[in-house]
Amino acid sequence: VHVAASSKDAEFARVPRDDEAEWSEAPAYVHFTSNNTIFGTEFAAPPRTPEGPFLACDASSDIFSRPIEVERYGLVYAGAQKNLGPAGLTVVIVRDDLLEPPVRELPTMLRYRTHAEQKSMYNTPPVFGVYVMGRVLRWMLAQGGLAEMARRNEEKAAALYAVLDRGEFYRPFAHPDSRSRMNVTFTTPSPELDALFVQEAAARGLDGLKGHRSVGGMRASIYNAFPRAGCDALAQFMTDFEKKHG
Amino acid sequence: VHVAASSKDAEFARVPRDDEAEWSEAPAYVHFTSNNTIFGTEFAAPPRTPEGPFLACDASSDIFSRPIEVERYGLVYAGAQKNLGPAGLTVVIVRDDLLEPPVRELPTMLRYRTHAEQKSMYNTPPVFGVYVMGRVLRWMLAQGGLAEMARRNEEKAAALYAVLDRGEFYRPFAHPDSRSRMNVTFTTPSPELDALFVQEAAARGLDGLKGHRSVGGMRASIYNAFPRAGCDALAQFMTDFEKKHG
């Protein structure tokens, strides 16, 4: 693996810029993860890549949160558990030419070709998960499709970032151009207030706000299924908490 | 792969006998499938094997239908979808020494060692399936455990085999010493009557009795979750159908 670009120096608070990438000689593919759930960063658009290698994307945590230009990708894969349905299945979108025999020997089950040829029925599929995902996809279509999902997710995230940007009390973790619409990460002025925030929020029914242990602070995960009303309630709580403790 | 024993000559209507096995020089392991859902055959006990190789068993279709002497096996694996819960998870029982580094390179996800070390949480687990399986396992314990499961499954299967053995109309497919307690396979005197049987049974609410396309005839799948009352209803229908068409 050649790491073409990293924002480690910036503590992963932003996604790498296109002009930072240093490509290897003849890459076979370029892989990126479109949304980072831990740091709360997201690519607004896929990275620009050299001619030749195909683009592969782990879209597990923001798939179907907005339309993507699917023709730009060779491979998109996404675990269902964030935006699609129960954990236990993975959606794969793969370009036909990438289904050709693999360059090295792979177990049968690990070849996308196997699953494409058998129409995803090579093994006994996880029927319940597939069924629920089907219902979720129909729900998305009924709501207005991915364009409407994108509009709602923009609004939901904006309601929270507006509070974070309003004063000095809250510190948003991600740089403005790299902000995730799925995971909003932030801190208060102190770890003690962070802990109190999580505790008082939970008492008001706003649960699961503790940040990932590797970064601390708070994280509001607002995937497709999370309603606008929940974001508004959190924004109101944030305002109240700032008044009380700021 | 060296096939040590096969009952192909008997159209797979029985499981191989221990005295038929021809072992290769120094086998690493011996693999067998304890129950065959298509032909309706089942090993009453695991095959006798030479000293040295460990015994590996695909127990997908009869796991927890009865107690097994787990210390005789190096590896038992079973898809959940027959006796344990929804499709989408697999139970693996593996001897500690078989978790040592593999003899050939394997993708990380395909090493049992990975999953053992991470307590089955290396990947996001299929939470719903795991939850339902937990409920099923508790139900089994509350019923009296595997000994009680075995007793019930014996009785359920016996109710059907008794009708098959009573006269000349029905022909059980599996040899008596190889009969499955999970899948009871049989035919009537003609393919036309087979089709009529399936049709009339369905009209009486007895569904899914058509045999696998590779063998034809009928197949009654009576896994752990299938109630005794269902077997009695089928036995009664079989008796009625024989009176009418025999």
Side-chain angles (χ1 to χ4, degrees), chain B residues 142-153:
Chain B
Q143 300 300 305
L146 296 187
E148 174 63 13
M149 287 296 117
R151 195 190 64 74
R152 292 185 192 181
N153 287 323

Side-chain angles (χ1 to χ4, degrees), chain A residues 178-199:
Chain A
S178 299
R179 286 176 170 175
S180 169
R181 299 153 307 120
M182 299 283 102
N183 313 95
V184 179
T185 49
F186 59 98
T187 54
T188 67
S190 75
E192 291 71 28
L193 277 174
D194 288 351
L196 193 63
F197 183 100
V198 171
Q199 189 191 317

Side-chain angles (χ1 to χ4, degrees), chain A residues 98-148:
Chain A
L98 297 177
L99 296 175
E100 292 305 302
V103 289
R104 58 169 180 165
E105 204 194 345
L106 276 179
T108 311
M109 283 294 288
L110 295 192
R111 298 178 200 173
Y112 288 138
R113 184 190 179 86
T114 301
H115 301 285
E117 284 177 351
Q118 301 290 326
K119 300 189 183 303
S120 302
M121 298 276 280
Y122 178 73
N123 58 320
T124 301
V127 181
F128 178 80
V130 172
Y131 171 76
V132 173
M133 189 175 81
R135 303 275 296 182
V136 170
L137 296 178
R138 271 184 221 159
W139 173 81
M140 283 187 197
L141 287 172
Q143 300 300 306
L146 296 187
E148 174 63 11

Side-chain angles (χ1 to χ4, degrees), chain A residues 81-82 86-88 104-107 109-110 124-128, chain B residues 81-82 86-88 104-107 109-110 124-128:
Chain A
Q81 61 268 21
K82 301 296 199 300
R104 58 169 180 165
E105 204 194 345
L106 276 179
M109 283 294 288
L110 295 192
T124 301
V127 181
F128 178 80
Chain B
Q81 61 270 20
K82 302 298 200 299
R104 57 170 183 166
E105 205 195 345
L106 276 178
M109 283 294 289
L110 294 192
T124 300
V127 180
F128 178 80

Side-chain angles (χ1 to χ4, degrees), chain A residues 38-241:
Chain A
I38 293 176
F39 298 103
T41 57
E42 187 175 12
F43 281 85
R48 295 278 154 199
T49 57
E51 287 291 311
F54 68 87
L55 190 62
C57 178
D58 176 352
S60 294
S61 58
D62 68 350
I63 192 166
F64 291 178
S65 67
R66 62 182 173 188
I68 62 168
E69 291 178 77
V70 74
E71 60 279 8
R72 289 187 59 183
Y73 301 79
L75 171 69
V76 178
Y77 64 96
Q81 61 268 21
K82 301 296 199 300
N83 276 341
L84 301 179
L89 61 156
T90 300
V91 168
V92 176
I93 305 168
V94 58
R95 221 169 57 199
D96 284 344
D97 64 287
L98 297 177
L99 296 175
E100 292 305 302
V103 289
R104 58 169 180 165
E105 204 194 345
L106 276 179
T108 311
M109 283 294 288
L110 295 192
R111 298 178 200 173
Y112 288 138
R113 184 190 179 86
T114 301
H115 301 285
E117 284 177 351
Q118 301 290 326
K119 300 189 183 303
S120 302
M121 298 276 280
Y122 178 73
N123 58 320
T124 301
V127 181
F128 178 80
V130 172
Y131 171 76
V132 173
M133 189 175 81
R135 303 275 296 182
V136 170
L137 296 178
R138 271 184 221 159
W139 173 81
M140 283 187 197
L141 287 172
Q143 300 300 306
L146 296 187
E148 174 63 11
M149 288 295 116
R151 194 189 63 73
R152 292 185 192 181
N153 287 323
E154 283 295 343
E155 283 190 4
K156 283 156 54 185
L160 301 181
Y161 286 118
V163 179
L164 296 181
D165 289 338
R166 206 169 44 199
E168 301 297 312
F169 184 74
Y170 293 110
R171 290 114 201 248
F173 181 79
H175 293 197
D177 63 356
S178 299
R179 286 176 170 175
S180 169
R181 299 153 307 120
M182 299 283 102
N183 313 95
V184 179
T185 49
F186 59 98
T187 54
T188 67
S190 75
E192 291 71 28
L193 277 174
D194 288 351
L196 193 63
F197 183 100
V198 171
Q199 189 191 317
E200 292 193 3
R204 229 199 258 189
L206 299 163
D207 216 343
L209 286 165
K210 193 173 178 193
H212 191 272
R213 62 188 179 281
S214 60
V215 288
M218 273 73 70
R219 171 174 61 172
S221 289
I222 52 174
Y223 299 111
N224 275 4
F226 193 80
R228 170 67 192 264
C231 290
D232 290 343
L234 175 57
Q236 185 59 54
F237 171 77
M238 291 166 74
T239 303
D240 297 347
F241 187 85

